Amino acid sequence: MNIIKEINNRRAYRAISPEPVEREILTRITEAASLAPSCMNKQPWRFLILDDQAALEKGRSALSKGNYWAQKAPILVLVLTKKDLDCALNDGRDYALFDTGMAVMNLQLQAVAEGLHVHPMAGFDPAVIKKEFGITAEWIVVTVLAAGWPGTVESLSDAHREMEMAPRQRKPIEEIAAYNRWNEA
Ligand SMILES: Cc1cc2nc3c(=O)[nH]c(=O)nc-3n(C[C@H](O)[C@H](O)[C@H](O)COP(=O)(O)O)c2cc1C
């Protein structure tokens, strides 16, 4: 299919090398994130990039057991936002998470174009992140991204090793998109 190659090539890979990543590249991926659209150009996303050992240790201490593979990643990106940094409409539509998600996608696509693996995680304890980095309660730690150069699969569990090579699982297009008429099913 003629889908652009960064979208096709992005996978939530777990085999990430511990080899460091240059700041120049990290700057480019955050710049890509900053070019995302947002409601009234509010730009509610914030990124705390961890690339030194002391900071990485703090970040790693918040990861859940199942994310053992991310302990080796040379880069963790904490993605934060706050509801009041973006449009919050009277009918309940809050755009902070939506816009932050779009920025994270831009970041991931630029990372893929650079040859990096980048893997978003929900499996972490936001309270630990907040405590370790002195982040106040009102912030939402939306996700932690593990990033780095492609690594080897040896240290992955059997299940994860298999997933690394498995084809993508996606719902059929007819289930997620339609033309002209809403179908509840
Ligand atoms: C918000 C979010 C949270 C996720 N959390 C985890 C996680 O904690 N651990 C993990 O191994 N993968 C996590 N993933 C990765 C997804 O499982 C993965 O993106 C999904 O299975 C689709 O596979 P693909 O990204 O390779 O296409 C997360 C992805 C997203 C977007």
Side-chain angles (χ1 to χ4, degrees), residues 10-12 14 66-67 69 119-123 143 160 168 170:
R10 185 214 58 80
R11 291 293 307 267
R14 296 181 175 86
N67 287 331
W69 51 270
H119 189 142
M121 295 176 285
T143 186
H160 283 161
R168 291 191 130 107
R170 288 299 189 267

Side-chain angles (χ1 to χ4, degrees), residues 169-182:
Q169 299 293 323
R170 288 299 189 267
K171 292 179 177 164
I173 296 298
E174 314 78 67
E175 197 179 325
I176 61 156
Y179 291 97
N180 305 320
R181 276 196 189 78
W182 179 249

Side-chain angles (χ1 to χ4, degrees), residues 13-21 50-53 55-57 59-60 63 67-77 117-119 121 144-149 151 155:
Y13 289 117
R14 296 181 175 86
I16 295 176
S17 160
E19 191 192 333
V21 178
L50 314 180
D51 73 346
D52 81 25
Q53 282 316 308
L56 279 166
E57 266 164 41
R60 287 168 180 161
L63 299 181
N67 287 331
Y68 67 90
W69 51 270
Q71 294 286 339
K72 279 204 332 201
I75 305 295
L76 293 175
V77 181
H117 283 349
V118 56
H119 189 142
M121 295 176 285
V144 177
L145 305 170
W149 302 110
S155 57

Side-chain angles (χ1 to χ4, degrees), residues 101-179:
M102 289 202 286
V104 169
M105 197 66 227
N106 269 17
L107 183 156
Q108 290 182 93
L109 295 180
Q110 183 67 32
V112 170
E114 305 279 357
L116 292 168
H117 283 349
V118 56
H119 189 142
M121 295 176 285
F124 64 90
D125 185 341
V128 172
I129 295 282
K130 287 182 183 178
K131 182 168 166 276
E132 291 291 352
F133 293 95
I135 298 166
T136 50
E138 68 275 18
W139 286 93
I140 306 167
V141 190
V142 184
T143 186
V144 177
L145 305 170
W149 302 110
T152 55
V153 296
E154 275 87 67
S155 57
L156 298 182
S157 67
D158 290 348
H160 283 161
R161 205 174 307 139
E162 213 167 286
M163 286 165 85
E164 205 76 354
M165 334 272 186
R168 291 191 130 107
Q169 299 293 323
R170 288 299 189 267
K171 292 179 177 164
I173 296 298
E174 314 78 67
E175 197 179 325
I176 61 156
Y179 291 97

